Amino acid sequence: MFSYNLNHLNELEAESIFVIREVAAQFERPVLLFSGGKDSIITSYLAQKAFYPAKIPFALMHIDTGHNFEETIAFRDQWVDKLKVKLIVRSVQSSIDKGRVVEEKGPMASRNSLQTITLLDAIEEFRFDAAIGGARRDEEKARAKERFFSHRDEFGQWEPKNQRPELWTLFNGRKNHGEHFRIFPLSNWTELDIWNYIQRENLDLPSIYFAHKRKVFRRQNSIYAFADFMQLLPEEKTEELTVRFRTIGDMTCTGAMESQAHDIKSIIAELLTSRLTERGTRIDDQRSESAMEDRKKQGYFLALVNSLIS
């Protein structure tokens, strides 16, 4: 029988809260990036713990692709109301309308990569100097290279060879004008840690994390939720399956898995036997061997080139 060390969760929680408090101490205008997914939910929950009984001293910001799951958006609004924090929403559709980015066309089109320019425009608009995210090192090989304090240059680019050393609990938040940091308090958590913490703290989640019937279609050996804005290939057809989602993003690139896990206990049991990685069904990660790292390195330049072409 699998035995989980709950003291390990206490250590992870304390480490994450320490990082979040360091952000408040070192930066003038931080923001917490919120997608409505389990990792950003836990990050915001830890921020609440970090400053209790005071309120979270910074806003939450959601970059809305316009192709999000309805359940995620509904949960986002309920969660923000529960935390009593300010929510900033900036949309990819607005960036498209302004000609800042060019929308992809065809059945394989996705707005996921277009979020880059919308996010960086928002960071410049509000002069944020730190953006707290819920990324974890175990999710993907490019994320494994991230530090807790991940430096971004004036173009929003990430250069893995130019990151600051982090010795013990010393974090260097010094930066030049126009630069900012991405902060990852959950860096050392695993997917199993996340679910055990959710179970321990009895946290609410969007319903799509649990098994439910949904209209879907199959593509590239993966299952995707169908929506009216999505184009199917000639050989593809919709069907109804009982599925759940392990990770939540833009509907066009977020895969589901067939599952009967209707509660957290059964999800944890399922994870212990699964051979599929958490992001194994994300189309955006499959575009190349280094898809995630390329997006992180390109930062602003990819979006800038797209806007110039338009």
Side-chain angles (χ1 to χ4, degrees):
M1 179 179 293
F2 176 78
S3 177
Y4 191 86
N5 182 3
L6 293 180
N7 287 331
H8 176 60
L9 285 183
N10 293 334
E11 294 170 359
L12 290 173
E13 180 187 67
E15 178 183 64
S16 298
I17 287 175
F18 178 82
V19 172
I20 292 170
R21 287 172 174 166
E22 278 293 297
V23 173
Q26 293 197 38
F27 297 96
E28 295 181 2
R29 299 180 67 86
V31 68
L32 195 156
L33 303 179
F34 189 81
S35 67
K38 63 184 185 306
D39 298 322
S40 61
I41 290 169
I42 286 184
T43 304
S44 57
Y45 177 74
L46 291 170
Q48 183 185 47
K49 277 196 169 189
F51 302 106
Y52 185 83
K55 294 181 180 179
I56 299 174
F58 38 76
L60 272 58
M61 182 166 70
H62 180 216
I63 303 301
D64 185 358
T65 67
H67 293 166
N68 297 103
F69 292 92
E70 292 181 2
E71 297 94 329
T72 307
I73 298 299
F75 182 90
R76 178 200 70 185
D77 295 339
Q78 295 169 8
W79 185 251
V80 167
D81 183 63
K82 182 177 180 179
L83 292 181
K84 301 186 184 306
V85 294
K86 178 182 178 181
L87 174 67
I88 299 169
V89 179
R90 289 297 179 267
S91 71
V92 170
Q93 184 61 55
S94 178
S95 297
I96 294 170
D97 294 341
K98 293 175 182 177
R100 297 286 289 149
V101 293
V102 178
E103 186 164 19
E104 297 178 1
K105 305 296 182 183
M108 306 299 290
S110 174
R111 289 185 174 183
N112 196 58
S113 64
L114 305 185
Q115 296 179 83
T116 300
I117 186 63
T118 309
L119 171 59
L120 289 167
D121 282 351
I123 288 174
E124 182 178 2
E125 176 187 354
F126 293 99
R127 295 182 289 113
F128 292 131
D129 53 2
I132 306 169
R136 310 187 321 269
R137 292 186 180 123
D138 78 317
E139 291 181 272
E140 203 272 342
K141 57 188 177 183
R143 289 185 172 178
K145 298 179 182 179
E146 292 278 19
R147 306 290 172 85
F148 283 105
F149 278 32
S150 184
H151 176 262
R152 296 299 196 271
D153 66 18
E154 66 272 24
F155 296 108
Q157 290 182 300
W158 171 72
E159 175 50 63
K161 295 180 180 179
N162 195 34
Q163 299 303 307
R164 282 84 182 277
E166 293 180 346
L167 307 175
W168 300 284
T169 55
L170 300 177
F171 301 114
N172 183 356
R174 297 179 65 180
K175 60 180 181 56
N176 296 318
H177 179 73
E179 299 174 347
H180 72 280
F181 278 80
R182 304 287 173 87
I183 313 295
F184 302 112
L186 303 185
S187 289
N188 288 334
W189 296 56
T190 66
E191 185 182 12
L192 189 60
D193 294 330
I194 292 292
W195 281 105
N196 275 285
Y197 190 76
I198 290 169
Q199 182 180 52
R200 191 186 80 173
E201 300 294 308
N202 194 28
L203 295 180
D204 294 328
L205 291 175
S207 59
I208 60 175
Y209 277 115
F210 304 95
H212 61 286
K213 287 187 177 180
R214 197 176 200 97
K215 187 177 182 180
V216 300
F217 64 96
R218 297 179 186 272
R219 175 177 292 172
Q220 296 180 352
N221 299 318
S222 296
I223 301 170
Y224 295 91
F226 178 76
D228 292 338
F229 56 79
M230 301 174 80
Q231 298 181 39
L232 298 182
L233 297 170
E235 67 274 13
E236 295 172 344
K237 61 180 181 179
T238 60
E239 57 184 314
E240 188 176 85
L241 295 174
T242 300
V243 300
R244 75 175 190 88
F245 295 84
R246 285 174 68 179
T247 177
I248 296 178
D250 187 278
M251 286 186 68
T252 57
C253 63
T254 303
M257 61 181 291
E258 291 190 74
S259 173
Q260 296 296 325
H262 293 91
D263 56 31
I264 295 176
K265 183 178 180 180
S266 55
I267 286 176
I268 292 173
E270 188 177 72
L271 289 177
L272 292 173
T273 59
S274 176
R275 300 184 66 179
L276 181 68
T277 63
E278 185 177 6
R279 295 181 64 93
T281 56
R282 290 289 290 264
I283 287 181
D284 50 329
D285 288 354
Q286 298 172 15
R287 292 191 172 190
S288 74
E289 283 292 317
S290 59
M292 171 80 74
E293 186 160 341
D294 290 342
R295 291 199 301 272
K296 294 160 77 69
K297 283 184 176 180
Q298 288 167 335
Y300 182 76
F301 282 144
L302 176 60
L304 177 61
V305 169
N306 286 337
S307 65
L308 290 174
I309 291 174
S310 66

